[in-house]
Amino acid sequence: MDTFTPAQSTNRQALCRLDEIPDGGATAVDARLLDGEESLILLRQGDEVRGYLNICPHAGRRLDYAPGKFLLKGDTLTCCVHGATFNQADGLCIGGPCRGEHLRTVAVQVEAGVVKLAQ
Ligand code: FES
């Protein structure tokens, strides 16, 4: 599973406030990564946030059906384009056209109520 590295290792990029993500929900934010500007999926559980590239391993499309709106059910996230279903916890595709592949993890952390790129 690939993990993307932020563009600037000494300046952690703020992405959004923790309270802008519904608890148990998700949002999408733009971030500057080594490859340029990318959309990220941020998934929140309490004070924990996970980050993935908002790029489906099936056909490279965004997973949200409207900006920042994702199909979430239980512990899974489903791509709106062709229905690939991923574990929220590790990004593994457990059903659909790219079963066995992963969303690409982006390391994030929460500092003083702000979600930032890690490293
Ligand atoms: S692009 Fe996501 S399932 Fe096809």
Side-chain angles (χ1 to χ4, degrees):
M1 182 174 2
D2 295 336
T3 300
F4 274 68
T5 305
Q8 295 176 314
S9 60
T10 56
N11 184 14
R12 293 188 191 136
Q13 192 180 144
L15 301 171
C16 69
R17 292 195 326 269
L18 179 65
D19 63 11
E20 292 178 294
I21 312 170
D23 196 1
T27 194
V29 296
D30 292 329
R32 292 183 313 278
L33 303 178
L34 284 176
D35 291 346
E37 185 104 353
E38 295 284 1
S39 175
L40 307 186
I41 306 166
L42 298 179
L43 292 153
R44 176 181 173 195
Q45 285 293 334
D47 291 336
E48 303 278 318
V49 177
R50 294 183 183 283
Y52 298 105
L53 284 186
N54 190 9
I55 299 173
C56 182
H58 174 229
R61 305 268 295 274
R62 289 174 66 115
L63 288 87
D64 41 359
Y65 60 89
K69 303 293 185 190
F70 294 92
L71 300 170
L72 304 176
K73 187 175 180 187
D75 297 332
T76 62
L77 162 70
T78 298
C79 178
C80 73
V81 184
H82 309 106
T85 299
F86 301 86
N87 284 332
Q88 293 184 24
D90 61 5
L92 173 67
C93 182
I94 56 171
C98 52
R99 188 183 184 104
E101 297 187 53
H102 282 86
L103 295 172
R104 287 187 283 181
T105 300
V106 177
V108 298
Q109 62 186 59
V110 180
E111 266 181 29
V114 177
V115 184
K116 298 180 174 184
L117 290 178
Q119 301 173 13

